[in-house]
Amino acid sequence: GVLYTWGNNDCGQLGTGDYSVKNVPTKVALRSAAKMVWCGDKCTFVQTVDNRMYVFGDNGSHLLAMDTESTTICKPTENYYFSDVVDADIHFGNGFCAAILDGVVYGWGTNVSNRLVDCPSVVRVPMELCDDLGTVSDLAVGDNFCLALESTGVLYGWGANGSRQLGKDFDTAVV
């Protein structure tokens, strides 16, 4: 349950309260034990055993899903949009995030090529994506697209399709 981080820290993504590079594992101060951690492009999410979510790092594209004007957060800050989520699975794309939160798919960040479906061009806080999906059991995120697997076995995809990664013959899709 103790979280250690090290490496580049130019956006505070190590959660140590500063922006200094750490060459050795450095303990991150959390209010309770960590149970899950997700790292993306200069941003970190940590879920603790009391089901609180703490974020730190680059928020310039709203990747931390915080409704704040701060572009960086260098110490663990609770993100209340994720409070009391029991089952979380966060994925990072190119300037956006998508997550399964208690079986429902949410997204935030910049919405290009419909990778956040019909959300606005900038999504500052988590918004439900594809509200007609049932319970989602797995999620995959590419640079500009997402795939979601319903617990029934049905696979859905949306976003950019320039390389036909969604398997259809059109440029963007919600399948």
Side-chain angles (χ1 to χ4, degrees):
V2 178
L3 179 66
Y4 289 87
T5 59
W6 59 94
N8 186 15
N9 195 28
D10 59 331
C11 292
Q13 64 265 35
L14 299 182
T16 55
D18 61 24
Y19 298 95
S20 302
V21 172
K22 305 296 183 216
N23 295 321
V24 297
T26 305
K27 185 177 178 179
V28 177
L30 295 169
R31 292 186 177 159
S32 59
K35 75 174 184 180
M36 292 293 297
V37 63
W38 299 269
C39 299
D41 186 19
K42 298 186 180 188
C43 57
T44 306
F45 286 71
V46 180
Q47 187 176 34
T48 56
V49 295
D50 60 356
N51 293 324
R52 299 289 181 234
M53 189 74 72
Y54 294 89
V55 297
F56 38 94
D58 186 4
N59 195 42
S61 295
H62 307 290
L63 293 182
L64 298 178
M66 296 287 287
D67 191 15
T68 177
E69 295 301 320
S70 297
T71 56
T72 61
I73 298 173
C74 66
K75 63 182 180 177
T77 302
E78 186 172 357
N79 185 318
Y80 297 102
Y81 294 102
F82 296 95
S83 290
D84 300 322
V85 168
V86 174
D87 187 23
D89 187 16
I90 301 170
H91 298 264
F92 300 89
N94 182 12
F96 78 108
C97 295
I100 305 172
L101 305 174
D102 292 333
V104 178
V105 178
Y106 289 84
W108 59 93
T110 56
N111 187 15
V112 177
S113 301
N114 294 327
R115 61 191 183 187
L116 296 176
V117 193
D118 58 356
C119 292
S121 61
V122 176
V123 181
R124 296 171 63 106
V125 299
M127 291 184 70
E128 185 175 348
L129 305 181
C130 303
D131 59 3
D132 57 337
L133 291 177
T135 301
V136 174
S137 60
D138 202 5
L139 183 67
V141 172
D143 275 353
N144 285 310
F145 71 97
C146 297
L147 299 171
L149 181 64
E150 274 188 336
S151 57
T152 61
V154 176
L155 180 66
Y156 292 86
W158 60 89
N161 196 33
S163 299
R164 304 305 177 241
Q165 59 269 41
L166 299 176
K168 293 288 185 178
D169 194 22
F170 38 79
D171 291 332
T172 60
V174 176
V175 189

